[in-house]
Amino acid sequence: MASTLATSVGAQLRLRREQRGLSAAELARRSGLSKATLSGLESGRANPTIDTLDAVAIALGIPLTDLLVPTTPTQPHVVRATAAADTPQQEMLRRVSGGHQVEIWRLRLPARTTYEGVPHATGTLEHLMVASGTLSAGPSDDLARLGPGDLLAFPGDVAHCYRTAGEPADATVVMTSPMIG
C-alpha cells in the first residue's frame, strides 16, 4: 500500500512530467531511471531515495522541493483567521513552491456583486485572503463563505466566482501558474 507522501510525490512527478510534455519513457531516459522505476514512483508504490528524486527533478528542470510539496489542491482549502494577540505573531498560511509564475492582485467588490472568473491555464492555483467584508468564493459549484483574515486556496483552472452580499469586500488574490519551458 502506498504512503500518503509517496502518493503525493508520485502525483507531483506525473503533473510536472505532463506539464513539460514528456512521456514516461523520455523522462526515464533523461533521469537515468528504468521505466519500471519511474512507473513505481508515479503510482506512489516506490520508496525513492533523495538521489533518485534529485535525478528526476534535474531531468524535469525543477527544484527538488517541487516534488515534495503538494501544490494542486483537489478541493478548496480554507484557512480561518486567528485572533490577534498582544505579542508578534507569524503564521504560515500557504506554501507556494518554485517553478511557478506568481501574480498578486487586489480584489475590491461592492456590495451585492458577483464576479465570474474564467478558468485559467491548467495547474493555476488561486489563494484569496480577505482583508475586510465578507464574500463567498471558490469553484462555482463549491463556494466557501469567508470573512476578514480567512484564506481560501482553490484550483483556478476551473470556473470560479467571487460574490458579496450586503457589504463590500476587499481581498488579495495570489495566483500561481506553472512556468512554460
Side-chain angles (χ1 to χ4, degrees):
M1 186 160 132
S3 76
T4 303
L5 181 58
T7 301
S8 177
V9 168
Q12 284 301 312
L13 196 157
R14 184 178 314 102
L15 172 68
R16 305 306 178 155
R17 177 179 59 76
E18 290 172 351
Q19 286 173 338
R20 280 151 183 75
L22 295 175
S23 67
E26 178 60 16
L27 180 56
R29 185 190 69 73
R30 289 183 185 189
S31 62
L33 302 174
S34 71
K35 287 192 287 186
T37 298
L38 187 63
S39 175
L41 291 172
E42 286 193 359
S43 69
R45 293 186 319 263
N47 187 13
T49 65
I50 294 295
D51 288 339
T52 299
L53 291 178
D54 189 51
V56 172
I58 290 168
L60 289 168
I62 61 173
L64 174 62
T65 56
D66 278 10
L67 296 176
L68 302 175
V69 179
T71 57
T72 306
T74 56
Q75 59 189 9
H77 176 78
V78 176
V79 177
R80 296 290 176 197
T82 57
D86 293 333
T87 59
Q89 291 177 280
Q90 182 176 339
E91 298 174 76
M92 183 178 81
L93 299 176
R94 190 81 175 146
R95 175 174 283 134
V96 180
S97 66
H100 286 83
Q101 176 174 324
V102 178
E103 296 179 347
I104 302 171
W105 297 78
R106 175 175 291 132
L107 178 64
R108 292 186 173 144
L109 297 173
R112 291 173 289 288
T113 300
T114 298
Y115 179 79
E116 300 288 340
V118 297
H120 304 293
T122 300
T124 298
L125 302 175
E126 292 200 20
H127 305 81
L128 172 81
M129 180 132 184
V130 180
S132 65
T134 58
L135 70 149
S136 296
S140 297
D141 61 353
D142 191 17
L143 298 181
R145 182 111 173 119
L146 307 167
D150 289 345
L151 176 120
L152 170 68
F154 63 93
D157 54 6
V158 298
H160 54 281
C161 73
Y162 310 92
R163 181 175 299 140
T164 58
E167 65 180 324
D170 190 352
T172 299
V173 179
V174 178
M175 292 178 46
T176 62
S177 51
M179 298 291 286
I180 306 293

